[in-house]
Amino acid sequence: MARKNKESKNQKKSVYIIGEGLTEQYYFQHLKRIKGYACSIKPRLFDNTSILNFEKKIDELINEEADIICVFDADVLKRNPVENERLQNLKHKYADNNRVLICDSLQCIEYWFILHYEDICPFHNNAKETVKRLKAHIPDYNKSEQYLKKPQWVKSMNMGDSLPNACERAKRHDGRASYTKVYKAINRLDETVKQ
């Protein structure tokens, strides 16, 4: 009996997604509706912010007994030695904590989007080059709030097997010159549907 109560308590654990900007916020909001994910995505959890602020948000949410998925672009961090060191410290701090997923992308989350369409691992010098590559698949894609708040761009990316394919491709390219760990977020969010 005690085991059953423990299992049901674990199933009700909240999942929060925190991130750095509008692209990530709207992507996960749309994906939540499309896939039926049970998670919290609130504007207050998304901000163009520093690693220190991410750490504060993570610590706050851990105190709420929640699982946390932290998504952000690593391109700026790689160019800023202080922020890059903070990123490495953040990853080290939570490396053994199964309640915290650090899901960064280099150059940017748009590389994750590209993997829905093709299996590549290019090195782009900056995020603009990555966005340009994505436009070969989503010609009208742009980072304006007016565009991002419409769910169609996320719906079109998630037709057929494109999401599982993107997860497999990202996993295979993890640790290379270009990478995205968003597949780990998707794997965790898929678990919320089964609850």
Side-chain angles (χ1 to χ4, degrees):
M1 185 78 157
R3 184 176 181 193
K4 186 175 181 181
N5 288 338
K6 186 177 181 181
E7 286 175 6
S8 64
K9 183 178 180 180
N10 288 340
Q11 288 180 348
K12 293 182 181 181
K13 188 180 291 183
S14 298
V15 176
Y16 286 91
I17 301 176
I18 64 174
E20 71 171 325
L22 288 175
T23 306
E24 292 82 358
Q25 178 185 339
Y26 281 115
Y27 171 72
F28 282 102
Q29 282 179 349
H30 299 320
L31 200 60
K32 176 182 177 179
R33 284 188 215 101
I34 292 166
K35 304 298 273 181
Y37 292 146
C39 59
S40 293
I41 305 158
K42 299 176 181 174
R44 73 173 180 84
L45 301 176
F46 287 80
D47 193 4
N48 289 318
T49 190
S50 70
I51 294 297
L52 288 176
N53 288 341
F54 280 136
E55 188 171 3
K56 288 177 189 173
K57 287 179 184 178
I58 290 169
D59 289 341
E60 173 189 322
L61 293 170
I62 282 179
N63 290 334
E64 294 182 23
E65 296 298 317
D67 285 352
I68 300 103
I69 298 170
C70 186
V71 291
F72 57 92
D73 297 341
D75 60 336
V76 174
L77 304 175
K78 294 291 183 184
R79 292 190 305 266
N80 181 330
V82 173
E83 282 293 286
N84 191 34
E85 183 177 347
R86 288 177 180 154
L87 172 60
Q88 299 316 314
N89 291 339
L90 183 75
K91 287 180 175 182
H92 179 72
K93 178 178 179 178
Y94 296 110
D96 296 325
N97 188 327
N98 62 3
R99 292 180 44 218
V100 178
L101 278 177
I102 307 294
C103 299
D104 54 325
S105 298
L106 183 66
Q107 291 298 331
C108 54
I109 195 168
E110 281 80 7
Y111 175 56
W112 165 248
F113 302 158
I114 290 169
L115 290 175
H116 288 67
Y117 300 99
E118 59 181 312
D119 187 2
I120 62 164
C121 187
F123 178 75
H124 293 131
N125 290 317
N126 56 52
K128 287 182 182 179
E129 289 180 15
T130 308
V131 170
K132 184 178 178 182
R133 178 88 183 220
L134 177 62
K135 286 185 173 220
H137 304 287
I138 310 174
D140 61 341
Y141 178 82
N142 69 75
K143 295 177 79 70
S144 71
E145 185 170 10
Q146 182 178 4
Y147 178 83
L148 295 171
K149 69 182 179 182
K150 296 176 184 173
Q152 189 54 42
W153 66 278
V154 177
K155 285 180 183 176
S156 69
M157 267 195 302
N158 287 283
M159 299 180 113
D161 291 332
S162 61
L163 187 60
N165 289 342
C167 287
E168 181 57 38
R169 293 166 180 164
K171 186 176 181 180
R172 190 169 49 249
H173 298 306
D174 198 351
R176 297 181 64 192
S178 291
Y179 67 86
T180 178
K181 298 185 185 293
V182 174
Y183 73 93
K184 293 181 178 184
I186 300 304
N187 291 340
R188 174 61 184 97
L189 291 170
D190 282 344
E191 293 172 5
T192 70
V193 176
K194 297 170 187 170
Q195 294 178 0

